[in-house]
Amino acid sequence: METTYDPKAIERKWQARWQETGVYEADLEHAKAPYYNLMMFPYPSAEGLHVGNVYAFTGADIHGRYQAMRGKDVFEPMGFDAFGIHSENFAIKRGIHPKTLIAGNVLHFREQLRRLGGRFAWSHAVETTDPDYYRWTQWIFLQFFKAGLAQRRKAPVNWCPSCKTVLANEQVISGRCERCDSEVVQRELEQWFFDITRYADRLLDNLDHLDWSDVIKTAQRNWIGRSDGAELRFPLAQDPETEIAVFTTRPDTAYGATFLVLAPEHPLVRKLATPETEAAVAEYVRQAVARSQEDRIGGQDKTGVFTGGYAVNPFSGQEIPIFIADYVLYGYGTGAIMAVPGHDERDFAFATVHGLPIVRVVAGPDGDRSPLAEAYSESGIAMASGPLDGLPTPKAKEAAIRIAEERGIGQRHRTYHLRNWLISRQRYWGPPIPVVYCEKCGIVPVPEDELPVLLPDVQDFVPKGTGQSPLAAIPSFVETTCPRCHGPAKRETDVSDNFLDSAWYFLRYPSSHDDRSAFDPALTRKWLPVDSYIGGKEHAVLHLLYTRFVCMALHDLGYLDFEEPFKRFRAHGVIVRGGTKMSKSRGNVVNPDEFFDRYGADTLRSYLMFMGPYEEGGDFSDQGIEGLYRFLNRVYHLVRKNVAGSSAKASDEAVRLRHQTIRRVTEDIEGLKYNTALAALMEYLNGLQRESAVAQEDLRTLVLLLAPFAPHLTEELWQALGQPYSVHQAAWPAYDAQVLVAKTVTVVIQVDGKLRDRLQLPAGLGEEAVRQAALQSDAVRRFLPEDASLRFVHVPDRLLSIVTR
RNA sequence: GCGGGCGUGGCGGAAUGGUAGACGCGUGGGACUUAGGAUCCCAUGGGGACACCCGUGAGAGUUCGAAUCUCUCCGCCCGCACCA
């Protein structure tokens, strides 16, 4: 053993040994205690592994190493999410083909991941861009297509003018493109959708039973955004056969609906316009459609124009005007609302601007029936509402729905914020959607045995903005024959959303070598659902929701016997530097390579975990990492100094410290409190250094407990201690609760809530004995009035509180 | 606006009803040394008439006892955002 800690040499040595001996490859078929330890596979960017990746993977890897030492057969695979707009945009910018670019990036990532020292099962690595992988992505599409879950239909969709493709609702952040930050516009286009909304209720209700971080569950609940109410139909005054359907959560206020508002895109808009209003309506629609999503949302001003048409309020019987305004969204509900200005803030604002009547139909607290100066959107008692009068809001809602159903003018209805998942992309870098268009047969799926539909190798992969994928410009790809009638046909030229690739990758890992099925039924039964999944919060409503949907659908189609893919999910925190987010523009990005070189992976891993609670993240400081480097050095030297077979016996104090440390580290690792686990190990080390001689068992315990954090160093020290390879297959130490019981304890004495003395007393002393001891203390007696009658509160072995008042 | 999280030394953080500041960084002092920005040891919340007082964003409350529970307010971060 060398005299100085040389992380570079140690880490290189053991990484090679691990690879040769395959200690991290699980025996998938014969494993007795399968444990699937998953982390979010990275997108292999050109910049290389981000310190955020290192943080995420280290935390998950520690969990995996701990489970392995607890006797589990841990399967910890890794892969690359290499399709998608991000790589493609970068490739376009650099003028390099994405295929070339990604191949290089993946190599770099593999090298960095090796240096990180994760216990990855590399033989099961997957790359989503591999035809052997995306063949099955296409297969999933086909199953969904056959089940009617994948449908091509015309709908208002988000279009990113810069990426020149449509986007799913989840990929629009505050009206901007998730990938390139451009303003997104609405377009009415025919696209492929997965009908995720059919699963909205199950996706929502299952959350109650999932062991997932609450942040994620809350975000998904909000995103699904179920709301209950009614759909009501308002006939046109001029043409009672034609009705306008609206969705409302307040059917009880229907008597107060004094006008209707349609989204500018609503199909009835044209029909309603009169010769007088036609020009103004057309102009408003033109402007609204051209405005970016952000503009439409951003301005809270209530613009809109009168269409010229009137409808009849089926409750009040009054004729009410119909407006169009862009505060009504075409994509939600029915794209039309009944405006109740008295009880909705937005409608109130619109009515005020356009001089429309505001009627009060809900009395406020204390029976307030006065005219409204602002919208009253709370509950109350219905008024001026015919049969609803006098009913409190919840009952009035029910009554209104009953009336609507009886009269055939509406019914109970439920709506979701969640939209169907738009999965087609007018881009190059993704799996082609496996269908063909035949003039005779229509949309025909590509037969499964013809998969994959290979992504053609082309020179020009730049999107043209024609609304079509670059693949449309390749006749050899487009021109094909119909699988059904063998006549001429054209291929679908859109590719599927990148999030479809990642929605099932963990199903593929165990079966990565299977060329007969996407996932082998036996292996899947043995290894899934995933035991532990750790990843970032940013995927709360993207990846994590899509994945749940895909599993649920595959379950219903008979391919999986579970519907929830992840038994346990934990969201890790975010690393900042100097209190602010790391970003290239701020120039405060941590490059892991630099720290691997300077301190080694063990130090970087340990420091990242020490910064703060894993689920909360931390603040990276270049100085702070020194502390962990020193710590590992001290561990190295302590073991080295005592390694020469000393037969020293541990003191009672050392034994208690040992057991205490085992307990603390075990509990902290289980609770993902890696920072305090490391603190406990530091205290252990400090304690051992104070001892005149250190027992071999303490050295072994220290090394074992540190193994998940610093896998290379501990492997080296384990060997030095004469223990068999590998420390990562050794058993996690156990503690004895008996030993933890201290013989003497510090009992705190308080007088009227203030600390006055600390007494060293034998453990387990009764209240009377503690009182006697306390009353003998000068520090305590000084605060006791002569004549006071005393009251005592005793917490055994901890505290005695004396009350004089 | 809605939802979630957070606020503790010079800094990262510990303690979720019972010794506030574990552990680490930084800082000060000392040892070793030709030297050290290496290593080791000691000290380190503020004040002080040093057998004490104050102190966990601010204010109130509950309790023998509150960083922790309750209410009001202030500030910061994250997500969603005209969702009817």
Side-chain angles (χ1 to χ4, degrees):
Chain A
M1 206 170 165
E2 297 301 316
T3 52
T4 49
Y5 172 43
D6 178 359
K8 258 190 165 166
I10 291 175
E11 293 181 3
R12 204 179 304 118
K13 168 180 161 189
W14 291 107
Q15 282 159 11
R17 183 83 192 278
W18 293 334
Q19 199 169 349
E20 284 157 27
T21 54
V23 278
Y24 301 140
E25 296 292 343
D27 180 348
L28 295 186
E29 278 173 35
H30 304 103
K32 292 216 168 52
Y35 191 94
Y36 195 157
N37 186 45
L38 185 68
M39 56 200 89
M40 289 180 175
F41 68 162
Y43 150 68
S45 70
E47 293 86 31
L49 204 59
H50 186 267
V51 71
N53 297 131
V54 176
Y55 186 72
F57 298 157
T58 300
D61 186 61
I62 287 166
H63 181 73
R65 288 182 181 278
Y66 168 72
Q67 292 296 341
M69 291 174 80
R70 305 272 353 206
K72 293 287 186 351
D73 294 304
V74 173
F75 178 48
E76 188 174 306
M78 181 48 72
F80 301 98
D81 185 19
F83 264 141
I85 293 181
H86 196 102
S87 345
E88 198 175 355
N89 284 353
F90 192 81
I92 291 167
K93 208 166 111 193
R94 288 290 168 86
I96 308 168
H97 196 281
K99 201 170 170 180
T100 318
L101 180 82
I102 284 297
N105 292 354
V106 166
L107 274 178
H108 185 208
F109 263 67
R110 280 179 177 264
E111 169 60 13
Q112 289 182 303
L113 287 165
R114 194 185 54 76
R115 292 189 75 182
L116 172 64
R119 53 175 332 291
F120 302 122
W122 281 116
S123 71
H124 285 270
V126 301
E127 290 177 30
T128 54
T129 46
D130 187 339
D132 287 337
Y133 182 90
Y134 71 73
R135 167 187 176 186
W136 300 111
T137 307
Q138 293 172 337
W139 176 85
I140 289 172
F141 177 92
L142 290 180
Q143 307 317 306
F144 284 21
F145 177 80
K146 287 177 195 165
L149 272 173
Q151 291 194 13
R152 195 168 165 82
R153 69 170 84 93
K154 202 168 188 188
V157 298
N158 306 299
W159 171 264
C160 172
S162 163
C163 292
K164 299 183 174 65
T165 181
V166 296
L167 300 171
N169 226 29
E170 290 77 11
Q171 288 151 21
V172 180
I173 312 295
S174 301
R176 291 174 171 274
C177 171
E178 182 221 11
R179 289 270 66 117
C180 72
D181 211 36
S182 310
E183 290 190 1
V184 165
V185 297
Q186 295 278 308
R187 283 197 186 176
E188 176 96 2
L189 293 170
E190 190 169 297
Q191 296 290 330
W192 285 101
F193 291 90
F194 277 173
D195 284 349
I196 188 171
T197 51
R198 275 200 238 168
Y199 286 82
D201 282 323
R202 262 158 86 191
L203 288 167
L204 185 64
D205 295 336
N206 278 9
L207 288 173
D208 295 341
H209 314 290
L210 286 183
D211 177 16
W212 281 30
S213 299
D214 284 329
V215 247
I216 306 291
K217 295 211 275 189
T218 306
Q220 292 206 353
R221 285 192 186 103
N222 291 341
W223 187 261
I224 293 168
R226 181 158 75 191
S227 60
D228 288 300
E231 191 177 294
L232 304 175
R233 288 181 293 275
F234 287 61
L236 296 188
Q238 305 90 324
D239 171 15
E241 293 301 300
T242 306
E243 295 175 323
I244 294 175
V246 302
F247 173 74
T248 178
T249 54
R250 293 294 300 270
D252 60 302
T253 62
Y255 284 86
T258 52
F259 57 101
L260 293 186
V261 187
L262 309 188
E265 298 91 338
H266 197 286
L268 275 177
V269 169
R270 278 185 174 179
K271 195 178 164 179
L272 292 167
T274 61
E276 298 83 62
T277 59
E278 206 173 0
V281 168
E283 174 58 16
Y284 186 80
V285 171
R286 199 188 57 75
Q287 280 185 13
V289 170
R291 281 171 94 184
S292 71
Q293 178 107 322
E294 196 182 38
D295 284 350
R296 282 176 71 165
I297 294 167
Q300 296 283 316
D301 54 317
K302 294 287 176 289
T303 65
V305 293
F306 176 50
T307 58
Y310 290 85
V312 176
N313 181 329
F315 285 83
S316 66
Q318 280 185 324
E319 272 196 21
I320 57 175
I322 306 170
F323 285 76
I324 58 171
D326 63 6
Y327 82 93
V328 174
L329 307 175
Y330 186 40
Y332 183 76
T334 60
I337 62 157
M338 62 172 201
V340 184
H343 305 282
D344 181 281
E345 257 178 68
R346 296 151 301 180
D347 298 344
F348 187 95
F350 190 87
T352 307
V353 173
H354 296 89
L356 294 157
I358 297 166
V359 178
R360 177 163 206 157
V361 292
V362 181
D366 309 322
D368 182 6
R369 299 166 71 94
S370 58
L372 293 157
E374 55 177 16
Y376 176 71
S377 51
E378 309 293 307
S379 297
I381 307 289
M383 56 179 269
S385 294
L388 306 180
D389 282 356
L391 294 175
T393 299
K395 284 194 172 150
K397 281 186 188 177
E398 289 303 313
I401 292 171
R402 202 167 52 240
I403 291 166
E405 287 175 349
E406 278 164 15
R407 295 207 228 148
I409 53 173
Q411 65 284 317
R412 187 181 302 280
H413 193 73
R414 184 175 262 185
T415 297
Y416 304 89
H417 170 250
L418 180 71
R419 311 290 160 86
N420 279 326
W421 178 11
L422 198 176
I423 61 135
S424 41
R425 295 289 180 276
Q426 292 72 49
R427 298 287 295 212
Y428 169 72
W429 195 231
I433 291 175
V435 301
V436 303
Y437 298 95
C438 169
E439 273 179 32
K440 277 202 287 192
C441 312
I443 299 179
V444 181
V446 172
E448 287 176 23
D449 59 10
E450 287 178 23
L451 296 181
V453 176
L454 283 172
L455 184 63
D457 235 331
V458 296
Q459 296 302 309
D460 188 11
F461 51 87
V462 180
K464 298 289 176 289
T466 54
Q468 281 195 309
S469 152
L471 295 178
I474 306 162
S476 60
F477 176 80
V478 176
E479 304 300 338
T480 185
T481 53
C482 172
R484 203 165 286 163
C485 72
H486 305 290
K490 290 186 190 304
R491 279 194 195 281
E492 167 66 69
T493 56
D494 284 356
V495 299
S496 57
D497 181 6
N498 177 220
F499 280 102
L500 181 58
D501 306 327
S502 55
W504 74 283
Y505 73 110
F506 56 93
L507 296 173
R508 184 62 182 167
Y509 278 139
S511 309
S512 59
H513 304 296
D514 189 339
D515 58 1
R516 298 159 150 247
S517 62
F519 38 91
D520 176 77
L523 283 178
T524 303
R525 223 171 295 121
K526 192 174 175 84
W527 288 92
L528 286 130
V530 167
D531 293 281
S532 168
Y533 193 18
I534 289 178
K537 307 183 219 294
E538 66 276 15
H539 288 296
V541 295
L542 291 158
H543 166 62
L544 287 168
L545 192 63
Y546 295 145
T547 296
R548 293 182 59 219
F549 158 69
V550 165
C551 278
M552 227 172 251
L554 287 173
H555 166 266
D556 287 359
L557 296 174
Y559 292 108
L560 294 173
D561 55 11
F562 54 87
E563 58 177 41
E564 288 292 343
F566 315 123
K567 282 185 212 163
R568 174 182 124 123
F569 177 83
R570 291 290 179 272
H572 64 248
V574 177
I575 310 220
V576 298
R577 206 183 195 183
T580 48
K581 222 163 147 177
M582 286 187 212
S583 71
K584 264 187 285 182
S585 56
R586 283 196 189 88
N588 63 348
V589 176
V590 174
N591 174 8
D593 285 331
E594 232 176 83
F595 290 89
F596 286 154
D597 289 343
R598 207 146 91 214
Y599 300 99
D602 285 338
T603 296
L604 181 60
R605 286 171 63 107
S606 304
Y607 176 59
L608 287 173
M609 295 303 108
F610 186 69
M611 286 188 319
Y614 186 58
E615 290 173 277
E616 283 166 39
D619 200 333
F620 191 99
S621 127
D622 293 21
Q623 274 178 338
I625 195 170
E626 291 281 350
L628 272 292
Y629 185 62
R630 279 177 214 156
F631 168 64
L632 295 185
N633 260 290
R634 289 166 60 206
V635 171
Y636 181 88
H637 286 108
L638 180 83
V639 175
R640 204 182 70 86
K641 203 173 84 190
N642 293 282
V643 75
S646 88
S647 54
K649 203 167 168 302
S651 66
D652 287 355
E653 205 184 328
V655 171
R656 197 174 317 115
L657 177 64
R658 179 200 306 155
H659 286 258
Q660 233 168 47
T661 306
I662 296 171
R663 191 183 69 175
R664 287 175 64 187
V665 173
T666 305
E667 288 175 0
D668 286 348
I669 287 183
E670 298 215 340
L672 300 180
K673 299 286 160 52
Y674 298 139
N675 56 332
T676 45
L678 282 160
L681 287 168
M682 290 171 179
E683 288 183 59
Y684 188 28
L685 177 72
N686 292 343
L688 294 180
Q689 282 185 327
R690 275 193 297 270
E691 296 284 316
S692 51
V694 181
Q696 292 293 298
E697 188 171 354
D698 280 310
L699 298 177
R700 287 198 298 270
T701 304
L702 178 66
V703 168
L704 287 167
L705 295 177
L706 183 60
F709 299 91
H712 312 84
L713 170 65
T714 51
E715 193 77 276
E716 177 79 8
L717 296 178
W718 193 242
Q719 185 186 49
L721 288 167
Q723 300 299 313
Y725 177 78
S726 153
V727 70
H728 302 296
Q729 294 174 314
W732 189 254
Y735 64 88
D736 182 350
Q738 292 295 308
V739 180
L740 292 176
V741 181
K743 288 193 192 86
T744 58
V745 291
T746 307
V747 176
V748 169
I749 313 300
Q750 292 181 354
V751 178
D752 292 330
K754 282 194 191 295
L755 186 144
R756 295 304 178 192
D757 202 2
R758 295 160 199 202
L759 304 177
Q760 296 300 316
L761 297 172
L765 221 55
E767 178 171 345
E768 191 52 41
V770 176
R771 278 192 201 180
Q772 293 311 319
L775 294 174
Q776 274 165 27
S777 156
D778 285 340
V780 171
R781 275 208 299 228
R782 199 172 326 129
F783 294 93
L784 300 179
E786 287 296 321
D787 51 345
S789 62
L790 303 178
R791 204 151 70 73
F792 298 88
V793 178
H794 181 231
V795 181
D797 290 347
R798 297 218 65 158
L799 163 145
L800 181 75
S801 181
I802 305 172
V803 189
T804 68
R805 287 170 264 139

